[in-house]
């Protein structure tokens, strides 16, 4: 994988993670947590930890790196939960140099579906889209994959009603509790229908 691709991935995760209150963090060595490679990256938030590990395109290396990342995240979350008393979620991102061969699709799928200790996601570069973005699977990472919410446009205007009965109902809803207004208008409709 070329350095520019890695830089783009890290920048993209930084940007999307910042939108949901994750910040890049130093990976610490502590207690029974496994030693992580210097290529690993960590983002942390008040509610979760997100760790990226790199893996070769072999089932053995994928399993080894998933286990290592999962064990580190598990130890880190337990440590934070003891310190804060709050539940801390964990997300593991397994970065591959290229799209895995079909023979590895089952291991990718079963790993992503495995609920033990943390959510697991795989990313790999793909053909660039029109905007040059090469990491389309980044949007599958549940902690950061949601698009940004549009800005609120404020209150909507009150509908312009023409029918006198609708205007009266809206006025009653404003002045009475909605249930009382509905009950009152239902009684009026029943009385009219009996005529």
């Amino acid at each position: 994988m070329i350095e520019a691709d890695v830089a783009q991935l890290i920048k993209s995760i930084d940007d999307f993670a910042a939108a949901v209150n994750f910040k890049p963090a130093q990976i610490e060595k502590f207690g029974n947590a496994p030693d992580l490679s210097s290529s690993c990256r960590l983002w942390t938030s008040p509610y979760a930890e997100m760790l990226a590990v790199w893996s070769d395109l072999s089932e053995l290396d994928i399993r080894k790196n998933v286990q290592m990342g999962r064990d580190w995240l598990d130890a880190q979350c337990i440590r934070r939960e003891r310190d804060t008393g709050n539940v801390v979620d964990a997300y593991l991102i397994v970065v591959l140099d290229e799209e895995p061969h079909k023979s590895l699709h089952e291991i990718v799928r079963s790993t992503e579906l495995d609920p033990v200790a943390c959510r697991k996601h795989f990313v790999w570069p793909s053909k660039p889209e029109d905007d040059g973005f090469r990491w389309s699977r980044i949007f599958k990472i549940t902690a950061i994959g949601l698009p940004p919410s549009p800005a609120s446009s404020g209150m909507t205007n009150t509908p312009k009603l023409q029918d006198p009965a609708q205007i009266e109902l809206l006025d009653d809803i404003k002045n009475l509790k909605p249930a009382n207004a509905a009950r009152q208008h239902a009684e009026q409709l029943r009385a009219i229908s009996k005529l």
Side-chain angles (χ1 to χ4, degrees), residues 8 99 124-136:
Q8 183 192 36
E99 183 173 353
W124 55 76
S126 58
K127 283 181 132 180
E129 302 294 326
D130 291 337
D131 62 0
F133 192 72
R134 292 180 43 90
W135 297 91
S136 59

Side-chain angles (χ1 to χ4, degrees), residues 161-169:
L161 304 175
Q162 303 300 322
D163 185 273
Q166 292 175 329
I167 294 169
E168 182 184 348
L169 176 60

Side-chain angles (χ1 to χ4, degrees), residues 38 162 171 181:
S38 62
Q162 303 300 322
D171 288 340

